Amino acid sequence: MNKIDLVYKAEIAGGVHKDLPHDSAHKHVSGEADYIDDMVVPEGTLHMAAGLSDRAHADIIELDLSDVEATRGVVLVLTHKDIPGHNDIGPNHRDDEPLLAERRIEFHGQMVFVVVAETREIARAAARKAKFTYHDLPHATDIIEARALGYKLVTEPLTLKRGDADAALEKSPRRLKGEMRIGGQEHFYLEGHIALAIPGEDDEVTVWSSTQHPSEIQHMVANILEIPVHAVTVNTRRMGGGFGGKETQGNQFAALSALAAKKLNRAVKFRPDRDEDFMMTGKRHDFLAEYEAGFDDDGHILAVKANFAARCGFSSDLSGPVTDRALFHADNAYYYPDVLLTSEPIKTNTVSNTAFRGFGGPQGLVGGERIIEEIAYALGVDPLEIRKRNFYAIKGDERCLTPYHQQVEDNIIHRIVHELETSSDYQARRLDIIEYNRHSRVIRKGIALTPVKFGISFTFTPFNQAGALVHVYQDGSIHLNHGGTEMGQGLYTKVAQVLADEFQVDIDRVKITATTTAKVPNTSATAASSGSDLNGMAAYDAARQIKDRLYAFAAEKWRVPVAEIAFLPNRVRVGDDEIPFPSFIKQAYMARVQLSAAGFYKTPKIHWDRAKGIGRPFLYYAYGASCSEVSIDTLTGEYQIERTDILHDVGRSLNPAIDKGQVEGAFVQGAGWLTTEELWWDGKGRLRTHAPSTYKIPLASDRPRIFNVDLAEWSENQEMTIGRSKAVGEPPLMLGVSVL
Ligand code: MTE
Ligand code: MOS
């Protein structure tokens, strides 16, 4: 790795650090981008619909499917009895997430059977004709009810501990204690879940799945069908949004369409409608944070003790790592001298909650920010002052130590906040607002400037690896494939930029191809914002291998030292000659140079001992801050974000245009989470907010009236990441906290 030249040349159209458009942007807006439901399907494709339970907690005494089966146009009905393999699609192999429920129903909307029919409409109508007889059981849909019923945790809790929080609380001159509810969030990807399974010969099956994790879909299909993983190919060209909701939640649709496709030897498509997608798939975990803090008269935090309980739903899914990450970010950017943080991932009779942009981190961070605000109000000091007083130190002392004993080595939050405070004119506007509120009884205004520090890497260390496959063809065109998936975030474009930069060719010489388990195996989910860090490096590695062979070839053929060979824009210099890239490649082919390579990357330095709560789970941190001014009509509750200023750190951006889009979108999504979006279950455990009629995501008109978004252009990743960039996908969601 140390030989790698990570300094990129800026002269070329295709390279990194350039404002290139998303490769599919024009197709997204013109409708020409193929999503799975747009694909040309094989002759005789059938459609699947789900049969859902309508109890939150019950045993099925009897299930009468005769009317379903008798419906004209229905071809097949499947229950758990038709599963040849293991009836579990949980990512943890804990046997806690049946694909189709057997006897026990654990949430309202759990899938019990599926119908395959000639059309989607027939399948859906038939699925509603099932007759269930239940034996009802007491249910708990929320954290408090679950505690009262003595429900267990879905997975082992985490403890982070440094010093002695109880003793430090005891000694603190001032103390506070409180609790806070932090709501969940529906992903509301524009393209819902979908899978299309196409049977092949012998045991083979190909599945097109809208998933962030093709390898896991592959494993689940193999597991359900009881066939080797090599028989299953999973393809994903793009998703119309994932936001974490397609890390694990696509398993059920893929596995069932594959099962039916193999049974019938016909292609089968499974696309739930929006209401079903809401009811059947997990969401952001909502939390109950219970906290105590000790501080001095100047607002310095001395001790923090907090428990983060999460509504996990009926199975473990990703609740372990999600609740872990809540603890990892409960400190946000602040040093807690003595600290004790615990998680409580509690089981409930609701759909199993899952990843959502930030992966529990935002919930932890909101808890930490609440403590800051309470200290500020207790002391009558501007919260920004309290924030600054508690920031981690810039370098090297004890005040850089996190509750998980990782040293913060790259702290730039002081500079970020200082620059934003100046550029947003925070101090003067704050005084204006205080004055305004003196005279305005009904419309009240507020302003807040909040920081973000977010750890980058999967906390499950084995996920921090990636592969890429690069072919250079004889005409000098380049085929790129890697394990990452595209969900709108621009990953494919960024990785193509890396290749274009390495070979010094225009970006349109690089063909971006659909993610498939057949080209790059054993991939990780595209998640934890790590897509470009991991896949960019893997593609870089593949390009280097091919280039090394090309250097050796040219040195031998033209008898020049390697130092006299250079890749220049669209040409290669060899000694005094310059050869156009395509003819250089053609000559390499004629000389039998291997023009294909598999690249690989694994993140260095990280390690994590969960049992001890000690390690370095993150390679580095991404930072940012936002300042929002909001007006509220205290009679109607209407509000307006008047202005937001953002300064966000993405290191040396691979693509500033795309990164700015990520920051803007994430901010709006974060603000939506903390304002209009609300999930609500009724007394029967039914989710009543299951469509856009009742669940309100922000509209374009809800964005700040004045919206100034800047990247910290001076920032450069201290770690050897691709082009010294930093991950951008999740961290800016937490910029929405300034609106709260
Ligand atoms: N941006 C768009 N447009 N659509 C998405 O679904 N998902 C977010 C983020 N940005 C998402 C998005 C989430 S949850 C993650 S983890 C990252 O993108 C994943 O992609 P990356 O690792 O390539 O940044
Ligand atoms: Mo993102 S929640 O890690 O898919």
Side-chain angles (χ1 to χ4, degrees):
M1 271 288 107
N2 46 8
K3 275 198 297 180
I4 291 179
D5 168 22
L6 283 162
V7 182
Y8 285 93
K9 316 101 211 165
E11 59 182 286
I12 184 145
V16 290
H17 311 311
K18 287 267 164 65
D19 281 336
L20 292 187
H22 189 290
D23 64 279
S24 299
H26 57 294
K27 293 188 278 188
H28 292 155
V29 293
S30 65
E32 288 161 287
D34 268 355
Y35 295 90
I36 291 171
D37 214 21
D38 302 319
M39 285 173 52
V40 176
V41 293
E43 176 70 29
T45 296
L46 297 168
H47 299 271
M48 183 171 267
L52 306 179
S53 73
D54 54 359
R55 289 292 193 282
H57 197 194
D59 280 329
I60 300 174
I61 304 301
E62 207 189 311
L63 175 58
D64 178 358
L65 294 172
S66 51
D67 289 350
V68 183
E69 284 159 346
T71 306
R72 183 199 285 264
V74 167
V75 180
L76 182 70
V77 178
L78 297 171
T79 67
H80 71 92
K81 294 186 189 121
D82 300 295
I83 296 171
H86 197 65
N87 184 18
D88 181 34
I89 50 156
N92 309 308
H93 311 291
R94 282 170 166 258
D95 245 334
D96 65 352
E97 197 171 329
L99 172 58
L100 293 173
E102 299 187 5
R103 184 184 168 87
R104 178 63 50 88
I105 296 298
E106 306 222 71
F107 72 96
H108 202 289
Q110 187 168 5
M111 212 174 353
V112 181
F113 65 95
V114 282
V115 186
V116 184
E118 298 293 342
T119 69
R120 180 177 296 115
E121 289 64 35
I122 294 173
R124 278 185 187 153
R128 304 211 163 94
K129 296 184 189 167
K131 293 192 206 89
F132 286 92
T133 315
Y134 297 103
H135 169 69
D136 286 312
L137 300 164
H139 68 266
T141 49
D142 98 335
I143 295 164
I144 301 293
E145 290 167 7
R147 280 180 181 165
L149 281 186
Y151 272 27
K152 297 221 164 54
L153 304 183
V154 292
T155 183
E156 295 74 29
L158 176 67
T159 300
L160 298 182
K161 179 175 163 39
R162 233 196 30 248
D164 185 343
D166 281 314
L169 279 170
E170 217 46 64
K171 278 190 278 173
S172 295
R174 287 169 173 260
R175 286 173 76 164
L176 64 85
K177 186 176 176 162
E179 61 174 57
M180 180 185 198
R181 284 211 176 237
I182 302 158
Q185 188 176 23
E186 160 63 34
H187 301 87
F188 221 121
Y189 20 62
L190 291 186
E191 178 210 33
H193 277 281
I194 183 166
L196 170 66
I198 303 168
E201 60 184 48
D202 303 327
D203 53 4
E204 292 166 20
V205 61
T206 298
V207 184
W208 286 86
S209 166
S210 185
T211 178
Q212 294 171 239
H213 200 348
S215 285
E216 185 167 274
I217 297 279
Q218 182 192 29
H219 298 160
M220 291 301 162
V221 169
N223 187 41
I224 290 295
L225 297 184
E226 207 161 39
I227 54 177
V229 171
H230 71 203
V232 184
T233 304
V234 178
N235 300 325
T236 305
R237 172 58 185 88
R238 62 169 66 79
M239 284 159 273
F243 305 114
K246 292 175 180 170
E247 269 190 64
T248 58
Q249 304 296 296
N251 294 346
Q252 48 190 331
F253 308 103
L256 285 163
S257 56
L259 178 60
K262 285 310 279 183
K263 278 208 193 290
L264 297 166
N265 203 28
R266 287 170 79 175
V268 176
K269 193 195 275 190
F270 193 175
R271 173 169 70 75
D273 73 6
R274 182 65 66 174
D275 299 73
E276 287 164 347
D277 193 305
F278 260 77
M279 291 185 284
M280 294 166 67
T281 66
K283 302 154 198 333
R284 183 188 293 286
H285 292 67
D286 55 313
F287 276 72
L288 172 65
E290 293 149 310
Y291 52 87
E292 276 183 80
F295 54 103
D296 67 18
D297 292 334
D298 295 325
H300 293 114
I301 295 173
L302 302 173
V304 171
K305 191 175 162 187
N307 180 60
F308 286 84
R311 166 164 27 200
C312 295
F314 82 104
S315 75
S316 56
D317 183 67
L318 298 173
S319 294
V322 164
T323 48
D324 286 3
R325 208 174 250 276
L327 299 196
F328 285 128
H329 290 90
D331 61 339
N332 192 10
Y334 312 114
Y335 173 63
Y336 297 163
D338 287 86
V339 53
L340 177 65
L341 303 170
T342 48
S343 71
E344 187 185 347
I346 197 160
K347 175 170 176 155
T348 49
N349 294 115
T350 49
V351 66
S352 192
N353 279 331
T354 195
F356 196 137
R357 207 170 192 170
F359 211 82
Q363 295 94 312
L365 185 150
V366 165
E369 288 298 335
R370 167 56 70 93
I371 292 175
I372 292 279
E373 300 235 311
E374 285 201 27
I375 293 173
Y377 297 148
L379 298 174
V381 177
D382 176 6
L384 180 58
E385 228 8 84
I386 304 301
R387 293 190 162 100
K388 289 184 189 169
R389 285 178 199 167
N390 287 289
F391 280 157
Y392 281 108
I394 294 181
K395 231 175 179 62
D397 74 7
E398 193 203 326
R399 294 185 63 87
C400 287
L401 207 56
T402 60
Y404 41 96
H405 302 255
Q406 171 164 354
Q407 198 80 24
V408 182
E409 294 171 348
D410 57 5
N411 190 1
I412 55 169
I413 199 62
H414 301 260
R415 180 167 173 190
I416 295 260
V417 165
H418 176 74
E419 289 190 6
L420 185 71
E421 184 179 342
T422 309
S423 68
S424 66
D425 200 16
Y426 173 83
Q427 295 298 350
R429 286 167 59 210
R430 178 168 177 271
L431 295 180
D432 287 350
I433 286 170
I434 291 171
E435 188 55 29
Y436 176 93
N437 285 342
R438 267 201 196 105
H439 305 292
S440 181
R441 290 263 154 261
V442 174
I443 307 285
R444 310 286 285 178
K445 287 191 178 190
I447 189 168
L449 196 162
T450 57
V452 175
K453 162 177 141 289
F454 195 77
I456 304 299
S457 297
F458 285 99
T459 53
F460 182 60
T461 308
F463 283 168
N464 296 287
Q465 59 171 309
L469 183 64
V470 174
H471 308 318
V472 182
Y473 293 107
Q474 293 177 46
D475 63 350
S477 66
I478 300 167
H479 172 111
L480 165 62
N481 197 272
H482 56 75
T485 56
E486 175 64 45
M487 57 197 99
Q489 86 278 38
L491 175 64
Y492 280 11
T493 307
K494 287 182 178 177
V495 182
Q497 284 177 268
V498 170
L499 274 195
D501 202 84
E502 256 329 286
F503 288 110
Q504 287 286 294
V505 296
D506 293 333
I507 191 91
D508 44 17
R509 206 174 266 286
V510 182
K511 182 77 182 170
I512 295 170
T513 60
T515 311
T516 170
T517 54
K519 284 185 189 164
V520 176
N522 307 322
T523 53
S524 301
T526 307
S529 306
S530 62
S532 51
D533 279 5
L534 296 174
N535 297 287
M537 273 300 205
Y540 177 79
D541 177 43
R544 293 299 298 197
Q545 294 174 41
I546 297 172
K547 278 177 72 181
D548 282 348
R549 294 183 208 131
L550 290 170
Y551 280 121
F553 147 72
E556 191 189 319
K557 179 170 166 89
W558 286 287
R559 300 187 184 289
V560 293
V562 170
E564 285 176 28
I565 303 166
F567 286 76
L568 303 178
N570 295 311
R571 60 197 196 278
V572 182
R573 194 179 65 219
V574 183
D576 295 331
D577 285 341
E578 288 194 356
I579 308 167
F581 187 76
S583 52
F584 179 79
I585 292 297
K586 184 76 189 182
Q587 297 189 56
Y589 164 75
M590 297 303 282
R592 296 185 294 174
V593 176
Q594 187 192 358
L595 293 172
S596 172
F600 185 76
Y601 175 73
K602 56 181 184 195
T603 312
K605 294 187 181 177
I606 49 176
H607 55 93
W608 172 237
D609 183 339
R610 191 176 183 276
K612 294 204 178 83
I614 292 180
R616 176 179 181 163
F618 306 121
L619 181 61
Y620 62 88
Y621 296 96
Y623 298 87
S626 69
C627 174
S628 293
E629 177 181 336
V630 178
S631 318
I632 300 185
D633 183 325
T634 54
L635 296 181
T636 65
E638 285 169 281
Y639 68 90
Q640 169 76 45
I641 307 173
E642 303 291 354
R643 172 173 166 183
T644 293
D645 294 73
I646 288 171
L647 182 60
H648 194 76
D649 157 40
V650 295
R652 283 197 71 200
S653 174
L654 290 175
N655 185 323
I658 285 179
D659 284 353
K660 261 190 168 181
Q662 283 290 294
V663 174
E664 291 166 357
F667 167 82
V668 170
Q669 195 168 40
W673 167 47
L674 295 165
T675 54
T676 55
E677 295 181 47
E678 184 178 13
L679 293 163
W680 194 80
W681 285 264
D682 70 10
K684 292 187 169 141
R686 285 185 296 187
L687 176 67
R688 302 316 299 264
T689 48
H690 54 73
S693 54
T694 43
Y695 189 83
K696 298 297 183 188
I697 59 171
L699 304 174
S701 54
D702 293 318
R703 82 196 188 290
R705 284 195 181 155
I706 302 170
F707 197 14
N708 300 318
V709 178
D710 283 311
L711 303 178
E713 274 161 22
W714 42 264
S715 173
E716 180 170 291
N717 202 332
Q718 285 180 18
E719 299 297 334
M720 293 279 270
T721 52
I722 189 77
R724 299 285 183 158
S725 64
K726 288 190 182 182
V728 66
E730 296 166 290
L733 181 124
M734 286 149 275
L735 298 171
V737 170
S738 61
V739 175
L740 177 66

